Amino acid sequence: MSTRKQQIERALARLRVFQKDPAYTDKQYAVQANITFLEAARSLLRYLWWLFKVAPKLDGSRLLELTDFPVEEWDVAMHERLIEMQKRKRPGLVTPLVNAITEYTKKESRDLIIANLGAGGMEVDRQVAEWALKENSQHTLTIVGVDKSSITRRIADRNLKGLADRVEMVETGELTATKLGEIQKETTKKVLIVMCTNDIFGLDKKFGKDYFDLVYHSLFRHHLTPTQQIDLDRTVGAISKKHFEFDGYKSWPHGLIQSLFAWTSPVFLNGTIISMARYRAKDEISREGGDISYYDITSHYLRRLQS
């Protein structure tokens, strides 16, 4: 049996355990949708039928991706492949967000504190830090990565290790404005990266109004329930002066193209295509306002908001 098929069978076995677990009673739609997806992904023809006949009819508000379940193997497989894709200049998956952050930083030309919510493997932050080092600015850039997952923290550690001798990196648990101020005072380098495990929805209790110059999140919003999305907007509006929201929009032709790149990794394929089913259409995104740019090569958008 190939490695790919082994991954599918292991994932199916885990999902069937979740099917029988009372703790997942309210998530059975998502569990069954993932089982159906993986069964289809056993063969290309069956998968293509699923992609065009089943996937577009899925209820995105009730879906979960494999990485939303507490399975370390799935988190590692997804984030490692995602980081690999994000590093590529083509198609430039996170380039629009990185460019927006660096352009903002350059325009402000002062010491800045920025934060990435749901930071994951922190590839966006790594690229921003690399840019800041090349700029050789006299101003200090503090990047706060917020993510509760110990698994993604380890992945971020590995991803950032190439910066270790050039930037100050601090790992901590709960972070407050006071604690961050103390860390900044002890820092001699111009780029400081602080990784913390705060509850994102409670950040307004740890940091004052407009504490962060910029807050952003990447491919994160669609993982949240409608209520959590409202809480996210409330929190970000309270703690930041400016806000960048980077996520995807629904486009099934893009889903086919993305499937070709993701086919060899069932977990990454799942994250790519189940995300597509959870994304909203362009018109729905546009109705929420803000300065929005759409990137039709990758089926993503960037919303810029002033708090």
Side-chain angles (χ1 to χ4, degrees), residues 53-153:
K53 297 295 184 179
V54 178
K57 298 177 183 177
L58 290 171
D59 182 352
S61 67
R62 300 169 68 191
L63 287 176
L64 295 172
E65 294 152 47
L66 290 179
T67 52
D68 293 317
F69 293 93
V71 179
E72 181 171 350
E73 177 187 351
W74 297 346
D75 252 344
V76 172
M78 177 64 187
H79 281 94
E80 288 184 346
R81 186 66 180 271
L82 181 60
I83 289 170
E84 176 191 330
M85 292 297 295
Q86 290 174 338
K87 287 180 186 291
R88 296 182 185 179
K89 292 185 178 180
R90 293 183 181 180
L93 186 60
V94 293
T95 298
L97 177 58
V98 172
N99 286 346
I101 297 169
T102 56
E103 287 167 8
Y104 168 79
T105 303
K106 191 169 185 176
K107 181 180 178 181
E108 290 296 306
S109 190
R110 58 185 174 87
D111 292 352
L112 293 172
I113 305 175
I114 66 178
N116 183 359
L117 307 189
M122 297 189 69
E123 174 58 20
V124 169
D125 311 289
R126 189 196 66 78
Q127 292 185 28
V128 170
E130 288 279 12
W131 170 86
L133 292 167
K134 289 178 182 176
E135 281 289 296
N136 197 26
S137 170
Q138 295 306 302
H139 301 291
T140 300
L141 177 64
T142 299
I143 303 172
V144 177
V146 187
D147 202 304
K148 291 174 70 174
S149 170
S150 60
I151 300 168
T152 54
R153 169 72 69 85

Side-chain angles (χ1 to χ4, degrees), residues 19-301:
Q19 259 188 326
K20 299 173 183 178
D21 188 340
Y24 289 85
T25 300
D26 62 342
K27 297 180 176 67
Q28 286 305 305
Y29 179 88
V31 173
Q32 184 56 54
N34 278 280
I35 289 173
T36 304
F37 161 84
L38 286 167
E39 288 176 340
R42 284 169 168 156
S43 77
L44 181 58
L45 288 178
R46 190 172 176 184
Y47 173 77
L48 291 173
W49 179 87
W50 176 90
L51 181 65
F52 289 108
K53 297 295 184 179
V54 178
K57 298 177 183 177
L58 290 171
D59 182 352
S61 67
R62 300 169 68 191
L63 287 176
L64 295 172
E65 294 152 47
L66 290 179
T67 52
D68 293 317
F69 293 93
V71 179
E72 181 171 350
E73 177 187 351
W74 297 346
D75 252 344
V76 172
M78 177 64 187
H79 281 94
E80 288 184 346
R81 186 66 180 271
L82 181 60
I83 289 170
E84 176 191 330
M85 292 297 295
Q86 290 174 338
K87 287 180 186 291
R88 296 182 185 179
K89 292 185 178 180
R90 293 183 181 180
L93 186 60
V94 293
T95 298
L97 177 58
V98 172
N99 286 346
I101 297 169
T102 56
E103 287 167 8
Y104 168 79
T105 303
K106 191 169 185 176
K107 181 180 178 181
E108 290 296 306
S109 190
R110 58 185 174 87
D111 292 352
L112 293 172
I113 305 175
I114 66 178
N116 183 359
L117 307 189
M122 297 189 69
E123 174 58 20
V124 169
D125 311 289
R126 189 196 66 78
Q127 292 185 28
V128 170
E130 288 279 12
W131 170 86
L133 292 167
K134 289 178 182 176
E135 281 289 296
N136 197 26
S137 170
Q138 295 306 302
H139 301 291
T140 300
L141 177 64
T142 299
I143 303 172
V144 177
V146 187
D147 202 304
K148 291 174 70 174
S149 170
S150 60
I151 300 168
T152 54
R153 169 72 69 85
R154 293 199 300 272
I155 295 168
D157 279 342
R158 291 199 298 270
N159 192 37
L160 296 172
K161 66 181 180 180
L163 297 171
D165 60 341
R166 294 177 288 159
V167 308
E168 189 80 27
M169 288 197 289
V170 176
E171 293 188 51
T172 185
E174 189 92 348
L175 186 67
T176 64
T178 300
K179 189 170 184 178
L180 181 56
E182 293 170 352
I183 293 170
Q184 287 177 306
K185 286 178 183 177
E186 297 176 0
T187 301
T188 57
K189 295 177 180 176
K190 289 299 180 182
V191 179
L192 167 64
I193 298 177
V194 180
M195 291 177 277
C196 65
T197 58
N198 290 56
D199 174 8
I200 286 171
F201 306 114
L203 286 170
D204 55 334
K205 297 178 178 63
K206 304 297 180 180
F207 298 92
K209 181 171 175 55
D210 295 343
Y211 180 89
F212 295 98
D213 296 290
L214 170 67
V215 168
Y216 50 94
H217 44 85
S218 171
L219 305 176
F220 174 67
R221 186 183 181 89
H222 73 272
H223 285 271
L224 306 178
T225 66
T227 300
Q228 288 174 326
Q229 290 181 14
I230 293 171
D231 288 342
L232 176 68
D233 293 341
R234 173 193 58 77
T235 301
V236 172
I239 64 174
S240 68
K241 300 183 181 77
K242 198 171 184 66
H243 172 205
F244 291 159
E245 171 186 313
F246 186 72
D247 213 331
Y249 65 84
K250 188 170 292 186
S251 170
W252 288 109
H254 282 88
L256 174 61
I257 296 168
Q258 292 167 1
S259 295
L260 299 177
F261 288 98
W263 179 253
T264 57
S265 172
V267 175
F268 186 61
L269 179 66
N270 174 272
T272 300
I273 301 305
I274 298 299
S275 286
M276 184 65 73
R278 301 172 87 180
Y279 291 157
R280 296 167 298 161
K282 275 185 177 181
D283 59 348
E284 186 179 353
I285 294 166
S286 296
R287 283 198 296 271
E288 293 186 350
D291 178 11
I292 305 173
S293 299
Y294 291 100
Y295 302 93
D296 293 333
I297 292 177
T298 61
S299 184
H300 291 96
Y301 72 90

